[in-house]
Amino acid sequence: MAAAGGGKDETWSGRAAFILAAIGSAVGIGNLVRFPYQAGENGGGAFVIVYMVAVFFIGLPVLMAELYLGRRGGGSPVAAIKRLAASEGASSAWGMMAWIGMLASFLIVTFYSVIAGWLLYFMVYMVGDLFASVGANGLGALFGPAFVGREADDVTGTFGALLASPGTMILYHGIFIAVCTFIVSRGVKGGIEKAATLLMPVFFVLLLVLSIISMTTGNAGEALNFLFAPDLGKLGAQFMNGEILVNAIGQAFFSLSLGSAMMITYGIYLSRDTSIPSSAMTVAAADTSVALIAGLAIFPVVFQFGLPAAGGLGLIFGPLLLAFQQMPLGGLFGIAFFAMGVFAALTSAIALFEVPAATAKGDFDLDDAERSKRRFMGTLLIGGLIFVIGVLHAFSQVPIGSDGSGGNFFNEWKPFGNLPLLGGKTLLDATDTLTGSVMLPLGGFLVSVFAGYAVTQSSSREELGFATEKAYQRWRFLIRYICPFFVGLILVWGAVLAPIIAMLTASS
Ligand code: TRP
């Protein structure tokens, strides 16, 4: 069965194109910034182990399920789930699952684009710096450090200066989302696939070169130790407070792009002769390798210059700039680093964007001409909306001075008041938390229950096409028992109990 409906969908040109696009969606700011940040906050090696277990035993089965649901349903993401539910005798209310996912994708891309804009800004900024340096000191400066002759405070302060300039943030966010809109408007083969096959190989080369430079010039020993030698005592203690588990599963979902109907949408374009289990395996393995190699590109520099391992976003944009000033090749290294970030972010943002775009395109009841017209018009409209909401996010990041200077409505506005979990956060942070801690786990939970219980065994067995019945039964066990249990647990713990406890302990 191609799909329960009669129509035809756009398809990937082949297995390789699909895998590159899916890896492109998975590999993004989540790997380059969020993973090192999470590893740093959660004690390094201990987190890495728990994370890898979460990827392969919880993320991977859900990834297979999403691809399978999309391909089996066909059409638009919401219609795909509804159609599948109907043909399996389940309630059409399951369509809600895709709506929630689509909304999550849309919300994520509104702030993802702003952060990608920061990466783009620094890429441009460092190119300018290199030119200035070569102009002043001759061609030899090409291989020298960045920001020659500038004070340390001045260098780390460039991130603060960017945040204090909403106009600059909006400009780069605007450029980034305009490029995304252009790519998505061109459709699956002509847009998304082309971008991924062009950008991902460059990305891999940059990542490899950067990690080699970093490992040879930085403190490789300490980085390896930090990432791969878990402190088991710490692991035990952290496990008890549950946080490491919540963070590891949350990171696995974010990094593998799950719970947001995105992989369902990519599954819609998947042809029947591409094996879902082996493609999903490849995507999960590649995504995890990129996260680890990114750690090997970042932590040697971090330890070499005594930067804090748990520095978060501030780590990438502040102190790392300082490292570029002190290391040989710092100018080129910095440009390559931010270019790599921009490419990775671009292939992820177009994937997120594709979910509402595919929804706007509509289902099989429309003819092909109408669907491509709707994709085009819908993409423009959605791109415009993402831009506008991103502008609000950008304003929400402007720092407020101790004297109250720099205040604008959006950096003072805490949209969720005192609500546990979201209270006291600015629009961007609240959107990040709402999607990452609530909507993605909820989406993942629903996918597990739908694929594990609502859909018949014969249908999932046939569509997934595992090589052996034993492998299929293993997937089925994970999707029915392990995934819903742990994802449900982090949903209840991470989104409900922990914030309430934190609020109570803070006020007592
Ligand atoms: N996985 C991407 C990253 O690591 C971000 C991303 C793309 C995403 N699509 C998603 C996150 C869907 C959640 C859901 O940066």
Side-chain angles (χ1 to χ4, degrees):
M1 160 174 112
K8 257 191 6 249
D9 283 303
E10 296 180 83
T11 54
W12 306 106
S13 3
R15 177 172 192 268
F18 158 68
I19 286 187
L20 263 189
I23 293 176
S25 99
V27 170
I29 300 176
N31 303 61
L32 301 178
V33 180
R34 208 171 183 273
F35 175 78
Y37 159 72
Q38 290 282 340
E41 294 262 293
N42 293 286
F47 177 82
V48 173
I49 291 191
V50 180
Y51 174 70
M52 289 177 65
V53 171
V55 164
F56 288 98
F57 290 93
I58 298 170
L60 185 58
V62 175
L63 174 57
M64 291 177 187
E66 289 204 13
L67 292 172
Y68 139 66
L69 295 177
R71 182 167 76 183
R72 189 117 181 138
S76 95
V78 175
I81 300 301
K82 280 197 179 154
R83 181 160 30 239
L84 195 54
S87 73
E88 303 279 333
S91 158
S92 68
W94 281 107
M96 280 302 293
M97 177 170 92
W99 277 116
I100 296 172
M102 190 204 65
L103 191 64
S105 294
F106 173 78
L107 289 175
I108 293 173
V109 74
T110 61
F111 67 83
Y112 203 85
S113 171
V114 175
I115 298 174
W118 297 348
L119 293 168
L120 183 60
Y121 169 79
F122 277 109
M123 185 183 97
V124 173
Y125 186 92
M126 293 204 69
V127 169
D129 173 74
L130 191 69
F131 270 113
S133 186
V134 167
N137 307 302
L139 265 186
L142 203 55
F143 304 103
F147 314 122
V148 180
R150 282 173 56 179
E151 296 289 330
D153 281 355
D154 176 35
V155 173
T156 50
T158 44
F159 181 47
L162 171 64
L163 293 182
S165 164
T168 313
M169 280 193 274
I170 291 166
L171 174 68
Y172 284 91
H173 154 62
I175 296 172
F176 184 83
I177 204 63
V179 174
C180 290
T181 308
F182 174 74
I183 296 172
V184 173
S185 75
R186 297 178 50 96
V188 176
K189 270 203 190 88
I192 297 180
E193 192 178 300
K194 262 215 182 100
T197 43
L198 215 71
L199 296 175
M200 289 315 287
V202 184
F203 169 87
F204 288 125
V205 172
L206 287 175
L207 181 67
L208 223 58
V209 171
L210 286 182
S211 55
I212 290 170
I213 297 181
S214 179
M215 292 285 281
T216 49
T217 63
N219 190 339
E222 206 170 324
L224 288 170
N225 214 6
F226 178 74
L227 284 172
F228 298 111
D231 178 340
L232 291 179
K234 231 182 194 164
L235 179 62
Q238 278 183 317
F239 225 95
M240 293 320 288
N241 77 18
E243 224 170 85
I244 196 165
L245 199 63
V246 173
N247 291 335
I249 298 176
Q251 174 65 16
F253 265 67
F254 189 88
S255 196
L256 293 174
S257 313
L258 299 176
S260 63
M262 200 230 94
M263 288 296 180
I264 296 179
T265 308
Y266 273 25
I268 290 173
Y269 312 134
L270 196 56
S271 86
R272 289 300 314 270
D273 43 337
T274 304
S275 154
I276 288 178
S278 82
S279 321
M281 239 349 241
T282 309
V283 172
D287 184 64
T288 308
S289 313
V290 169
L292 293 175
I293 298 173
L296 293 180
I298 291 170
F299 284 110
V301 177
V302 167
F303 292 122
Q304 175 87 347
F305 296 104
L307 312 176
L313 268 189
L315 170 84
I316 301 297
F317 296 105
L320 209 55
L321 292 174
L322 204 57
F324 297 153
Q325 187 189 33
Q326 295 168 26
M327 61 194 282
L329 286 172
L332 286 174
F333 189 94
I335 295 170
F337 180 84
F338 288 115
M340 172 175 93
V342 171
F343 291 175
L346 192 57
T347 50
S348 296
I350 56 180
L352 286 160
F353 195 151
E354 174 62 19
V355 186
T359 309
K361 182 178 156 201
D363 196 31
F364 294 139
D365 52 340
L366 305 168
D367 62 35
D368 286 354
E370 175 69 14
R371 288 181 90 196
S372 58
K373 195 173 101 202
R374 288 199 186 199
R375 164 190 279 279
F376 188 77
M377 299 307 287
T379 303
L380 292 188
L381 187 74
I382 296 159
L385 267 177
I386 296 172
F387 175 72
V388 171
I389 300 177
V391 167
L392 312 185
H393 287 314
F395 273 111
S396 83
Q397 295 304 292
V398 176
I400 304 178
S402 49
D403 56 352
S405 63
N408 61 53
F409 174 74
F410 291 103
N411 56 6
E412 284 158 356
W413 186 41
K414 306 289 183 309
F416 293 92
N418 291 321
L419 209 70
L421 188 69
L422 302 174
K425 291 190 160 134
T426 60
L427 188 63
L428 190 154
D429 300 323
T431 312
D432 181 17
T433 308
L434 177 68
T435 50
S437 304
V438 183
M439 296 178 86
L440 299 184
L442 180 62
F445 180 79
L446 293 175
V447 165
S448 311
V449 174
F450 186 67
Y453 295 91
V455 164
T456 57
Q457 246 199 91
S458 58
S459 137
S460 61
R461 181 186 289 114
E462 178 199 309
E463 188 77 39
L464 280 164
F466 276 100
T468 63
E469 174 66 15
K470 207 168 140 212
Y472 169 73
Q473 288 303 338
R474 213 176 299 142
W475 170 82
R476 195 166 147 84
F477 175 78
L478 291 171
I479 206 78
R480 281 167 72 91
Y481 304 108
I482 303 300
C483 300
F485 177 77
F486 282 101
V487 177
L489 189 75
I490 70 155
L491 192 59
V492 172
W493 172 256
V496 183
L497 293 180
I500 292 179
I501 293 171
M503 200 164 82
L504 293 180
T505 48
S507 60
S508 66

